Amino acid sequence: MTPNEHRNMDMGTQDEVLVLQEDKAEKLKPLQLPKILAPSSKENNTTIYDIEAKSGEASIKSGEKTRTLGYNGNYLGPVIRLQKGEEVTFRTKNSLDEETSFHWHGLVVSDDVERDRIKLSKPIAKKSVNFQVSQDAATLWFHPHPEGKTAKQVYEGLAGLIYTKENRTFQHLKSAVFYL
């Protein structure tokens, strides 16, 4: 399926699997797409999201298990949809056996939130950060930012997407799309 064919079709549900045909083989290979993170709750006009850094295993190469890291799962993270003007709280938990941090790359936030979000989270620590989304429509990403370990933790799978919108029309984004 070409990128243009995919853009012209209905995205379907989050549980559908996009199947890509390999160039040199007749075998079909499913591409797992990240799910959209549902808010954990809504309190006093604040949307609350729970994000947990975890270790796990994934079958990256057929028949083999690879040690991985992920947000709310074994590998990579979900898509977080945010609305400009929305009040949000991220409740983060580090379930790794090493320090990590939660950094939403490119998201416009105040200096005090910026300082809060890059503080290291010790193993099994929990932390909350609250702010109002002032970001214009954009596709961003979140990842860890611990000194000396950023590349390792991202390589092992700690990364996810943030999709911000200026109005509440998210119906067209039912899953994230990656073209290999």
Side-chain angles (χ1 to χ4, degrees):
M1 176 178 299
T2 68
N4 285 337
E5 288 172 325
H6 192 271
R7 274 194 281 282
N8 292 330
M9 64 180 257
D10 180 29
M11 295 295 289
T13 66
Q14 291 180 19
D15 296 327
E16 287 182 327
V17 175
L18 175 63
V19 178
L20 301 178
Q21 188 164 353
E22 297 174 350
D23 289 337
K24 297 180 182 180
E26 293 295 321
K27 298 186 312 184
L28 297 178
K29 177 179 155 183
L31 176 63
Q32 297 298 318
L33 302 175
K35 293 192 177 191
I36 295 172
L37 181 63
S40 302
S41 62
K42 190 152 182 127
E43 298 172 10
N44 301 324
N45 293 324
T46 299
T47 305
I48 300 170
Y49 294 94
D50 289 312
I51 304 171
E52 181 179 4
K54 305 163 93 173
S55 60
E57 288 185 337
S59 294
I60 296 170
K61 185 176 178 184
S62 183
E64 295 182 30
K65 294 281 186 183
T66 301
R67 182 190 172 281
T68 57
L69 302 177
Y71 290 117
N72 294 13
N74 289 336
Y75 187 61
L76 297 174
V79 176
I80 300 171
R81 295 186 304 187
L82 300 175
Q83 170 70 38
K84 185 174 182 176
E86 177 180 33
E87 188 78 22
V88 296
T89 296
F90 287 107
R91 295 188 303 206
T92 60
K93 180 179 179 184
N94 177 9
S95 292
L96 304 176
D97 58 4
E98 61 184 308
E99 287 185 337
T100 193
S101 64
F102 296 85
H103 174 75
W104 23 96
H105 197 84
L107 188 64
V108 176
V109 293
S110 65
D111 288 343
D112 61 325
V113 171
E114 178 68 29
R115 281 188 299 274
D116 252 5
R117 73 178 175 169
I118 60 173
K119 288 181 183 171
L120 287 180
S121 176
K122 299 209 179 286
I124 315 302
K126 293 181 181 181
K127 186 177 140 191
S128 290
V129 177
N130 178 272
F131 59 93
Q132 184 174 26
V133 178
S134 60
Q135 178 73 47
D136 290 332
T139 302
L140 310 165
W141 68 300
F142 61 101
H143 62 91
H145 223 294
E147 188 172 333
K149 295 181 182 178
T150 301
K152 174 192 168 292
Q153 289 185 358
V154 170
Y155 178 79
E156 290 177 346
L158 281 184
L161 294 174
I162 297 173
Y163 179 78
T164 62
K165 191 78 173 152
E166 292 186 45
N167 59 44
R168 290 228 174 249
T169 57
F170 285 117
Q171 291 78 17
H172 68 283
L173 181 69
K174 295 184 179 171
S175 63
V177 178
F178 298 92
Y179 296 103
L180 299 178

